[in-house]
Amino acid sequence: MTIHTKIDEKLNDKVLYQNLKGFATAYKASKENAYKGLDFEALRTKVHDLKDRDLNKVMQQFNQFKENVEKHGCKVFQAKTGDDACRYIADVMKSHGAKYMVKSKSMTSEEIQLNQYLEKEGLSPIETDLGEWILQIANEHPSHMVMPAIHKTRQQVAKIFSDYTGEKVDPDDIKAMVEIARRFLREYYFKAGVGMTGANVAVASTGTIGLVTNEGNARLSSTVPPVHIVLVGYEKLCDDFGQALDIVRVLPKSATGQIITSYTTWIKGRTPSHKNADGIKETHYVFLDNGRLAFLEHPKFKEALKCIRCGSCANICPAYEMVGGHVYGDRYIGSIGLILTALYQGDAAAKDILKMCIGCRACSFNCPSGIDLQTLISDLKLVVGKKYGINPVKKKVFKSVVAKPKRMKSLLSVGANFQFPLTTTNKLNQEKIIKTVPMLPKEMDFRKFPALASKTFSKRFFKDGYDQFSSQRKVFFYPGCAIEYFYPEMGLAMVKLLQKSGIQVDIPKVAACCGIPAIASGDPDNARTMIFNTLDKLNDAKDYEALLVLCPTCGGAIKHEFLDFTKADPDRYKKASQLGQMVTPVGQFLEDQGIQFKVIGNKTVTYHTPCHDSRSLSYSAEAFLSSVLGEQFIPLTDSNVCCGFGGTYSLDFSSISNGILNKKIENIEATKAEILVTDCPGCVMQINGGLMHQKKAVKVMHLTEFIENHLVVVE
Amino acid sequence: MKVMKLLEQFLEKSTLVGNENRLVTTVDFQNDFKREDYEYIHLPGLNIFLDKQAGEAGIRRALIEADYAIAETGSVVIDSCNENLRLASCLAEKLDVVFPLSKLVDNMHDVADFLEERTSESGGYVAFITGASRTADIERVLTVGVHGPKEMTVIILNDL
Ligand code: SF4
Ligand code: SF4
C-alpha cells in the first residue's frame, strides 16, 4: 500500500476521526491543568539536561546499575539487536518450562517485535495492559504510545471480546468489558511462569527501576510470577532518584494530563517470591542497544534518545490527529515515531512517513524532555530527500525557477498577465481568485487559490516611490514570495504605516525565496542556493533597527535555517547570525514602538496564531488585539494549532491539509467573529481559501491590513 | 501552619483521583477499624497485623500503613517488599491506607532518600499509590478496578 492509500483509508475512518479529535481537545485541557502553577520550561530543561550525555556517561551508568543488581544474583544481558533480546527472553521462558509470560506495556518490546518472536517459538506472551490486550486478541498493533487502542470504539471492543470469550458482551457497557479483562487476565498472572515489564527509568545508584502505570498490571506482572524480566533501552538510565523523580514529575502530566498515575512503582532485584524454591524472585535485565548506542555519539540525533515516551508529540500533532498512529510512525508513534523509525529501522522505512510532518513545531514546544523534534524531522527529510530523491517536478521547479530569482520573477509576471481568463472575483469578499484550476485532482480542491498580483510588491514599492522616503530611523523589510507575488497590499499597508510614523523602510533590490519550500520538501542543494541568494541580497544589519517580516516562516528561516546552511561559509554565517538576531515580526515591532491604537467600527474579530510566529519568533498578536479591541475580540479555540498550510504540503498531502483546515474553520465559525486576523500570508492563503470554498462570509486579513483598515493611531 | 497547607494540598489531589479521605484521631481509628471486615492488615506503627496470602481469587479488603504521603501528588508511599503486603495491595477489591500526619511531605523529592535506602539491598519494592487501579483504554472512559483495587480510602491520623 502506498502512503497515500494508507492515509486515505485512515481519513475515511470516522471512528478514528472522532476519537482522535475528542482526545486532542481533552488532552490539551487536562495537560494544562496538570502543569498549573508549575514552570514547564524549567521542568523540561531539567529533564533535557539530565538526559544530555554521551556514550561514555551512559556506559558508566550502565556499569553501576549492573554491579548493583549482579552483586545480589540478578542477571544482566546486553542485547545488541532486537533478535538477541528476543532470543534471550525466549530462553529464559524455556529454561523455566514457562508457556505463558504476562507482560505489562512496553514500547521496547513492540520495537523488537517480541510477541511475534515468542509465538513462533510456541510460547505465549500475554499483554496485560487493557488496550494492548484488546489489540493482541484482535491481532492488531497499537496506534498510540499511551492509549494503544484509541482507534477502537466500545462496540468494536465488545465484538472482539465476545469473539474471544464466546460470551455475550453488552456493546455499550464499558464497565462490564473491563470486568471481563480483569477476570481473564487475573487467571494469566497466576498461570504465567514469567512476568515481563519495561522500565520508565533505571536508577544507576541502586539498580532500581521505576514504572509508571495506571492499571496496576506492571505491579502484578512483577509480583505474582516467580521470574521477572525487565526489558529496557540504555537511554532510560539515570544517575539517582533525584533525576528519576524529575522525569516522573513530567511523564504522566505530558502523557495523559494526570498529575501522577495511580501507581509509580520502584523495584529492585530480588524481592521475596514464594513461588520460587528459595523464596526469592529470579530477575533478569535485558538492556537493548538496537542502534541506540551509536546515536548517543551523533551530534544531532542523540537528542532523540532523550525521549521519555510520553506520547505528547502525537497528542498535539495536527497531522497525527488526522491519520492516527498506524500511519504516523511505525513501531513508535507520533513525531518521535517518525524519527525513531529512521534511526532504528533505517531511512528506507522512514522516507515516506517523514513527509507527513507539516512542520508546525508544536511537538518541539510540547516535548517534556525538550527535544526539538521538528528540527530533527527536517534534518532527516533532507537526508532522505537527497538519498531517495524528491518529487521530480518539484525538484525541477526549485532548481530552474525558485532558485533563480530573475527567472521566477519573469515567469510569474507572465503568469500574472495571462491568468486573466482563469480568474474571477469572489462575491463574498470581492477578492480576486482563480476560478478553477485546470486538471486539479478532486482531493486538492478544498480551497480557493488567490490570483497572482498584477504587479509584484517590489515593483509597486519602487514605482510608487516608497523608496524615496528617508529618515534617520530605518528598518529593512524582507517581503518573501507570498507578499511579493500574491499579497503586495499586506506589505504596502505596513510600509505606509511605518512611514507615517517616520520610519524609513528598505527592501531587497531583487526578491528571492527564503528556501523553506525546498527544505520542507527535502531538497538541500536547492535550499542552499535559495538561502545564499536571499542572504546576499539582504542589506547589512548594522544600518537598521530591525529586519521586519510579514511571513513568520521566512523570519524563522532567516533566524534558524540560515545558520544551519551557512555553517561552512564564515562570512555568510556571520551575516546570517547578525540578521537573524534582528528578525522581528511586524506586530512585535509596532508593540515595541509603543504606538497606541484604537478601533474604528464595531466588527468582531478573532485571531489565528501562525505556527511560526509563536514557535519560531516567540510572538503572538493575540494580546495586542485583545487589548486594543476589548469586547470586540473573541479568542479562537486552539488559536495556535496549525491551519494545515505548510506550503507545498497542502498539495502533497492535500487530504490531511484539508482535514486540519476544516477543524480550524469549525473553530473560527464557533467564534461567530466577522473578521479573522492572522499574521502570516500562508495562513491567509489557506484559511481564506477554505472559507471561500465553503462560502463562508468571514473576512480574513493580515494584521497589517487590519490595522490599516480598522485601527487608527491615537495621537 | 505549613502542615495544614500540605494537608490541604494532599486532600485536594487525593480527592481529585476519587479517593475517600478521612481525618481521625488514633483512638477513634483504633475503635473504628475493628468494626470493618479486613482480610489483611499491616499497621507496624500501631503494631496491628492480620496476615494472609492473597491468591487468584483476590481479597475483599486490606488495611495498610503508608511510610509517607506526598502533598504534591496526593500519593501514599508504601514499602511493599513484604510479599503478602504486596499481594494484598495489588489484589484487594478495596484498599484502605493509613498514615500519621507527621509523615506527610511536600513533594516527591522528599522521599528520594527513602527510595534510595529501601532499594539499595538485594530486593526492594516501594510504591507510590494515588487512587484506585484505573484505565481509560476503551474510548477514554475512565473505569476503575481494571486489575487491582476498585476503591481506595485514605485515613490520616491527625494526632500522630
Ligand atoms: S519525544 Fe518528547 S513528547 Fe515525544 S514521546 Fe518522547 S518525550 Fe514525549
Ligand atoms: S512539526 Fe507539527 S506536524 Fe510535524 S511532527 Fe511536529 S507536531 Fe507533527
Side-chain angles (χ1 to χ4, degrees), chain A residues 386-398:
Chain A
K386 202 157 164 80
K387 189 156 160 190
Y388 298 93
I390 67 164
N391 177 333
V393 178
K394 260 197 196 179
K395 181 142 198 128
K396 196 152 189 282
V397 173
F398 288 149

Side-chain angles (χ1 to χ4, degrees), chain A residues 596-623:
Chain A
Q596 295 296 312
F597 292 96
K598 72 170 195 233
V599 62
I600 35 179
N602 53 7
K603 288 225 157 50
T604 48
V605 178
T606 190
Y607 172 72
H608 161 72
T609 314
C611 296
H612 291 265
D613 240 348
S614 60
R615 304 196 189 100
S616 299
L617 304 178
S618 321
Y619 176 72
S620 158
E622 179 151 1

Side-chain angles (χ1 to χ4, degrees), chain A residues 326-357:
Chain A
H326 285 154
V327 179
Y328 211 84
D330 185 24
R331 293 163 204 184
Y332 291 102
I333 288 151
S335 134
I336 189 72
L338 304 187
I339 299 164
L340 292 183
T341 302
L343 302 190
Y344 295 166
Q345 263 94 259
D347 52 23
K351 67 180 183 358
D352 290 331
I353 59 176
L354 282 165
K355 295 181 193 148
M356 277 186 292
C357 164

Side-chain angles (χ1 to χ4, degrees), chain A residues 621-642:
Chain A
E622 179 151 1
F624 166 74
L625 288 170
S626 123
S627 89
V628 176
L629 292 166
E631 304 241 299
Q632 279 165 254
F633 182 76
I634 306 156
L636 178 66
T637 305
D638 289 341
S639 172
N640 66 356
V641 172
C642 183

Side-chain angles (χ1 to χ4, degrees), chain A residues 6-263:
Chain A
K6 281 196 206 160
I7 290 172
D8 288 342
E9 189 186 285
K10 296 300 172 193
L11 288 171
N12 287 323
D13 183 341
K14 293 280 165 304
V15 170
L16 186 70
Y17 178 85
Q18 278 309 332
N19 287 8
L20 290 179
K21 186 171 175 227
F23 176 57
T25 314
Y27 168 77
K28 279 174 207 134
S30 42
K31 180 186 160 216
E32 199 177 309
N33 242 330
Y35 277 109
K36 204 157 60 205
L38 297 172
D39 181 348
F40 179 62
E41 281 310 316
L43 294 177
R44 72 184 196 137
T45 306
K46 227 179 196 175
V47 175
H48 180 270
D49 291 353
L50 76 88
K51 290 248 174 194
D52 198 30
R53 60 218 159 146
D54 59 10
L55 179 60
N56 200 5
K57 169 74 183 171
V58 171
M59 290 325 283
Q60 269 173 21
Q61 291 173 325
F62 168 72
N63 287 327
Q64 195 186 1
F65 187 99
K66 181 168 180 261
E67 198 191 309
N68 274 322
V69 293
E70 275 185 346
K71 71 178 175 213
H72 299 296
C74 303
K75 306 268 188 323
V76 176
F77 177 70
Q78 293 183 262
K80 266 212 155 35
T81 64
D83 267 359
D84 290 349
C86 291
R87 200 172 315 115
Y88 182 85
I89 294 166
D91 287 347
V92 172
M93 287 182 73
K94 286 180 193 162
S95 73
H96 287 273
K99 174 161 173 50
Y100 295 102
M101 174 170 85
V102 276
K103 286 177 67 194
S104 79
K105 192 154 71 68
S106 150
M107 288 308 298
T108 317
S109 83
E110 290 289 336
E111 175 189 331
I112 63 173
Q113 304 197 309
L114 176 65
N115 289 359
Q116 287 91 316
Y117 186 100
L118 295 178
E119 277 157 15
K120 258 195 233 134
E121 298 271 315
L123 301 165
S124 301
I126 307 290
E127 296 290 351
T128 58
D129 174 84
L130 175 60
E132 296 267 353
W133 189 58
I134 293 169
L135 299 179
Q136 187 183 27
I137 60 184
N139 206 6
E140 281 188 35
H141 293 288
S143 72
H144 188 277
M145 264 196 287
V146 181
M147 311 265 213
I150 189 154
H151 57 289
K152 292 268 177 254
T153 58
R154 62 184 81 188
Q155 288 79 11
Q156 291 170 323
V157 175
K159 171 89 173 54
I160 294 168
F161 277 10
S162 82
D163 288 351
Y164 179 77
T165 62
E167 299 172 12
K168 239 177 98 77
V169 183
D170 180 346
D172 290 311
D173 191 347
I174 292 181
K175 214 167 152 38
M177 292 179 227
V178 172
E179 273 298 327
I180 291 175
R182 180 180 173 104
R183 186 152 43 85
F184 273 81
L185 290 170
R186 180 66 66 88
E187 191 187 324
Y188 281 118
Y189 290 121
F190 285 86
K191 260 205 312 219
V194 175
M196 199 195 96
T197 67
N200 294 100
V201 286
V203 184
S205 65
T206 53
T208 308
I209 60 159
L211 282 167
V212 171
T213 71
N214 273 314
E215 298 186 2
N217 55 326
R219 287 157 56 75
L220 283 159
S221 301
S222 62
T223 293
V224 182
V227 180
H228 181 194
I229 301 175
V230 179
L231 173 64
V232 57
Y234 287 92
E235 76 280 10
K236 298 287 174 59
L237 285 156
C238 61
D239 285 340
D240 51 29
F241 283 97
Q243 293 190 345
L245 290 164
D246 284 334
I247 294 168
V248 168
R249 181 166 285 124
V250 295
L251 178 54
K253 295 183 179 70
S254 283
T256 51
Q258 288 173 281
I259 291 167
I260 192 166
T261 47
S262 298
Y263 303 103

Side-chain angles (χ1 to χ4, degrees), chain A residues 145 307-313 336 367-369 371 373:
Chain A
M145 264 196 287
C307 173
I308 59 170
R309 308 272 186 272
C310 71
S312 180
C313 55
I336 189 72
C367 173
S369 309
I371 307 171
L373 294 147

